[in-house]
């Protein structure tokens, strides 16, 4: 059976492998971001119908349920249908469980008011869908982006890792993109918002080398104003303008992925 077409670019050296990976991951993603939210919407609709004859309590609980279930389910469906899931690959399971818990929170009061079979099935179906969606999203990520042999470097999918920063109020990430390396460090709690203390990008064309070095607390380079790199291994990216230090977790793996993507992007055979 021929693998389905890939929605992302892959180097010819790994195209067959990722065809099989995507064939397995695609089904799991459909469960996580399409089947699960649709199941919750169906269960919620049944509970709303059952609660409609319960007067003001039924109306109020239905409004609360729909206000929580519809936006969160709609977001998951949009996330998959729009292709945005290919840009934000790292937190598939987090999205599935967080939106699912919002849905479950909305259906519980409705189930209490609806009572009967609908009052039992609505939260049960929602809880099962949340669990199934979360497991499926995690499985899809493991299947598609397992780092064995540096395989993800042969795609144009973003490869994101946390920075190894010690100050508890700071949070940072480094991302190997399709044609550039980027990193940012910002106050914790501003994950999806602007306001980074420091952010940088280096196009692949400006990178001349990648290596891993050990730093100690006495001569650690700064990764942001007043923020030294923590002792331990760091990735040093040499560019025409000097070295950039990226204190990323799993530095050796990150450096290997970056080095392989740099080499592959310079070769033909992408599609």
């Amino acid at each position: 059976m021929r693998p389905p077409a890939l929605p992302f670019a892959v180097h010819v050296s790994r195209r067959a492998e990722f065809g099989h990976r995507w064939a397995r991951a695609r089904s799991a993603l459909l469960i996580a971001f399409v089947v699960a939210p649709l199941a919750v919407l169906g269960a919620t609709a049944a509970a709303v119908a059952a609660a409609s004859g319960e007067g003001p309590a039924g109306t109020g609980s239905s409004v609360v349920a729909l206000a929580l279930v519809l936006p969160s389910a709609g977001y998951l469906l949009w996330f998959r249908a729009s292709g945005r899931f290919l840009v934000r690959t790292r937190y598939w399971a987090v999205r599935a469980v967080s939106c699912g818990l919002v849905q479950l929170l909305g259906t519980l009061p409705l189930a209490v008011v609806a009572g009967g079979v609908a009052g039992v099935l609505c939260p049960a179906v929602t809880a099962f869908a949340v669990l199934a969606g979360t497991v499926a999203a995690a499985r899809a990520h493991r299947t598609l982006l397992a780092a064995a042999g540096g395989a993800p470097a042969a795609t144009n999918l973003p490869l994101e890792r946390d920075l190894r920063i010690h100050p508890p109020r700071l949070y940072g990430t480094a991302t190997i993109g399709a044609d550039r390396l980027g990193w940012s460090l910002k106050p914790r709690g501003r994950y999806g918002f602007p306001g980074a203390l420091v952010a940088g990008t280096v196009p692949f064309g400006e990178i001349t080398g990648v290596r891993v070095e050990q730093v100690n607390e006495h001569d650690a380079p700064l990764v942001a104003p007043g923020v030294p790199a923590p002792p331990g291994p760091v990735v040093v990216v040499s560019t025409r303008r000097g070295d950039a230090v990226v204190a990323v977790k799993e530095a050796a793996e990150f450096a290997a992925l970056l080095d392989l993507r740099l080499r592959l992007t310079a070769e033909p055979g992408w599609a």
Side-chain angles (χ1 to χ4, degrees), residues 66-91:
L66 293 175
L68 294 177
V69 171
L70 287 178
S72 53
Y75 170 77
L76 292 177
L77 292 169
W78 168 83
F79 186 64
R80 176 64 180 83
S82 68
R84 188 66 177 169
F85 71 101
L86 293 173
V87 179
R88 300 293 183 184
T89 60
R90 193 180 181 197
Y91 296 107

Side-chain angles (χ1 to χ4, degrees), residues 194-211:
L197 296 177
V198 63
T201 60
V202 181
F204 285 171
E206 295 184 8
I207 297 177
T208 58
V210 180
R211 65 187 187 275

Side-chain angles (χ1 to χ4, degrees), residues 1-5 16 19-20 22-24 26-27:
M1 182 177 177
R2 185 178 179 181
H20 294 296
W22 175 244
R24 299 194 305 271
R26 185 180 63 166
S27 298

Side-chain angles (χ1 to χ4, degrees), residues 38 62 84 94 137 269-270:
L38 287 178
S62 296
R84 188 66 177 169
V94 172
W270 285 87

Side-chain angles (χ1 to χ4, degrees), residues 164-166 211-223 227-237 243-249 251:
R164 191 169 49 83
I165 300 299
H166 286 181
R211 65 187 187 275
V212 177
E213 292 186 356
Q214 287 285 136
V215 301
N216 58 56
E217 58 184 352
H218 301 297
D219 58 1
L222 297 180
V223 295
V227 181
V234 298
V235 177
V236 180
V237 181
D243 289 346
V245 177
V246 185
V248 69
K249 294 180 179 179

